[in-house]
Amino acid sequence: MKPVKRRLLTPGPTMVPERVLEALSRPTLYHRSPEFKGIFLETRELLRKILRTEGEVLILTSSGTGAMEAAVANLFNPGDSAVVIVGGKFGQRWKELCETFGVRPITVEVEWGKAVKVEEVERALRENPQAKGVLVQICETSTGTVHPVKEIGELLKASFPETLLIADGITAYGVYDIPTDKWGIDVAITGSQKALMCPPGLAVISLNERAQERLKEVKDRAYYFNLKKELKQQRKGQTAYTTATNLVVALNEAAKMIVEEGIEEVAKRHALLAQATREGVKALGLELFSERPANGVTAVRAPEGVDGQEVVRIAREEFGVTIAGGQEHLKGKIFRLSHMGYVDIFDVLTGLEVVEFALKRLGYNAFNYGASVRRAMEVFSQKG
């Protein structure tokens, strides 16, 4: 059997650096030990730097969805309402979580691949002044689209100061330099398996003072995802329940890598990888799916007559490169290339090469081999 080197270019899980894998392999620590307490408290401080917040940062043993659920369950009472931006699968998830916990979602429906307009959010809030929060993705991963969260935060601060801004930054933190507090994000969420360069299993949620005050007003409805319990314990370097200690040790190492590189430099690196990917894709005569593309993942329209899922299959089965397909009604219509986290120039070039091979296999011949790679290399060389 021929050797196949596996490469993971999906928007989560992402590739894990060797330095983080080494940390992951260390002997398991007791979650109530002094040694783990020191690592846990240090990790929380490192995450504060990455999120650029003075608020409390909590680490939960779950995927990012667990932190999304915790936000809804802990910050809203039954019967409350919230404005929910629905422009993709994860916006839908906010809506479904609200419905699960008896919160009335006031949906702002956005065509998949487009970003919400701030005036649409303002209209929804003016028509529903009782709304307790706005739930939005910074990056809607399913479409590779960035929403104008900074501008939404400015709107709330100026005109709706009692309304919390709750942002899913699961594929945004570690990709962009996001000043959480300055942008007016009251609650920020991310996950270990995206740009934080760790295996799946940890979620992160930050709470500023306004969000912490809201916690006090809301009746307890969560047991495991009870943020009041976690806040009390995590301030002391503990968690309410047994945490994934090996993953926390790995996250500590990954967070150190990000802080050592510098948040601004991390953001510049991701912007360059994204630009090269987009230009490479366009050199094949393909269209970007998003009108406001993200720097962590590029969504590409499959050409006429080509099944995007087949592009994904060929990349994985024949070349060992795992990319992502479309979700929901976009299945078969798009494919997605990730360039977040532990990704470098040659990973981007490999991803583009594999797309070329797959497209040729599927009968799409509107380009010459190497077109995407050549264009991406030009982008990289221009940036020095």
Side-chain angles (χ1 to χ4, degrees), residues 2 25 34 68 86 96 144 226 231 262 278 283 290 297 311 342 372:
K2 65 179 181 180
S25 71
M68 293 174 70
V86 181
E96 291 163 2
N226 186 308
L231 189 57
R278 293 173 200 146
S290 175
V297 56
V311 176
Y342 189 52
S372 67

Side-chain angles (χ1 to χ4, degrees), residues 131-146:
K132 297 286 188 178
V134 173
L135 307 178
V136 64
Q137 273 63 43
I138 299 176
C139 168
E140 174 53 70
T141 314
S142 64
T143 67
T145 299
V146 179

Side-chain angles (χ1 to χ4, degrees), residues 12-24:
T14 63
M15 293 185 288
V16 179
E18 292 81 359
R19 180 173 159 184
V20 178
L21 290 172
E22 186 279 324
L24 187 67

